Amino acid sequence: MSRHFVIVGAGEAGARAAMGLREQGFDGDVTLVGGETHLPYERPPLSKDGMVAEVFAAKTIATAERLAEAGVAFRGGVQVAGIDRASKRLAMGDGGALPYDKLLLATGASPRRLAGVEGERIVYLRTIEDAQRLRGVLGAGRHIAIIGGGFIGLELAASARARGAEVTLIEALPRLLSRGVPEAIAGRIAARHLAGGVRLVFGDAIAGIESGAGSATVTLASGMRVEADLVLIGIGAVPNVGLAEAAGLSIDNGIAVDGQLATGDADIFAAGDCASFPLAIYGGRRVRLESWRNAQDHGNLAAHNMLGAGEVGASVPWFWSDQYELTLQIAGLADEGAVTVERELAEGSILFHLSADGRLVAASGIGVGNAVAKDIRLAEMLIGRGARPDLAALGDPGVRLKGLLAA
């Protein structure tokens, strides 16, 4: 009898897993279920190219033709109401049922919301519709207030300035990018936004937000008031774990999976933004990563292990962000470092983070265009190999990282 593999969530991880199953030779039925009506699309461009392009166009991960050629049944605009693990069936929002032999939960994450803050002038960014709504307001003579100094807020600030809008960005903490980005690099990003005309407000909490018919007002704890045409809230994301939790699966800052992305149920896996998993290169530290690369890697790994490969993930975390002419790239987890070494480049710089025993655990770089891309990639490989490179060599731009890798 033909086996039926079902994937819930049609983002990067889910779509990649669906295609990966076919690439691995799976000849059973594959159904990809998405809550949005759109074909699977990439989310990173929504805050970057999608905002500044002359004509908005989502970047599709897999076209209808490609899905059909691969024999993947795509069911868009469909919600899953529940998982019956005993009968291995999904209860669908339309009243139907969908049986499965293996199930992958790639349900992603949703924007963290400010309680009690609603209105037509309040927006979050997660979907194509959110991006289109934002684009309609960005432009000369408009003022955008952004709550949150993380990647989403900063990328949108840069995009808004590129389209001529005025921007006030409010961060309750003392600096930008306090989670996972070294202070020195965050300071350089802050300086670039100030030079670009963004008004930055630090260390001031939100006291209230009022949304009217034509504008919104943000009131801060200090008493400062910010009038804006639109308020974007970008204060992080929460994993979509409702289905898994209701089905009795373990939750630990996401759907808890092992190194093979398997849950406590042998027939259910989880991948991407919704999953928390152990990283072997950091002693099994459990993490949940919201990044395009991780979603793609997880999709591939899930496809392998749904087919019984028993493969443990070994990827090094990698993040990137484009703001103005600058690109930030981070390989590894910088907070694992006890010692930091800086390497200055012609159009950028890299911070290498090493553990107390000399192992390279992360590299954080920022530069113009692709100035740091090659070295960050080599550093990623060094991290994956558990290398203990010489500190002086790391800091010397005349020493090629490729040579350290060969050694």
Side-chain angles (χ1 to χ4, degrees), residues 140-155:
R142 299 299 186 98
H143 183 199
I144 310 300
I146 297 175
I147 312 299
F151 286 126
I152 289 292
L154 292 168
E155 289 167 2

Side-chain angles (χ1 to χ4, degrees), residues 18-104:
M19 301 307 293
L21 287 169
R22 292 307 190 207
E23 291 163 6
Q24 292 300 310
F26 180 62
D27 60 0
D29 296 328
V30 177
T31 299
L32 178 63
V33 180
E36 296 183 56
T37 57
H38 309 287
L39 288 164
Y41 64 91
E42 293 189 359
R43 296 192 191 276
L46 297 183
S47 58
K48 303 182 184 79
D49 296 344
M51 281 294 133
V52 298
E54 285 298 319
V55 178
F56 176 83
K59 186 175 181 181
T60 301
I61 299 170
T63 63
E65 291 77 17
R66 187 180 177 202
L67 290 170
E69 288 172 2
V72 174
F74 174 62
R75 294 184 61 178
V78 178
Q79 300 296 329
V80 177
I83 304 169
D84 185 334
R85 291 166 54 189
S87 65
K88 297 173 68 170
R89 298 172 72 85
L90 301 179
M92 308 305 288
D94 60 7
L98 188 63
Y100 67 86
D101 291 291
K102 296 288 184 182
L103 173 65
L104 172 64

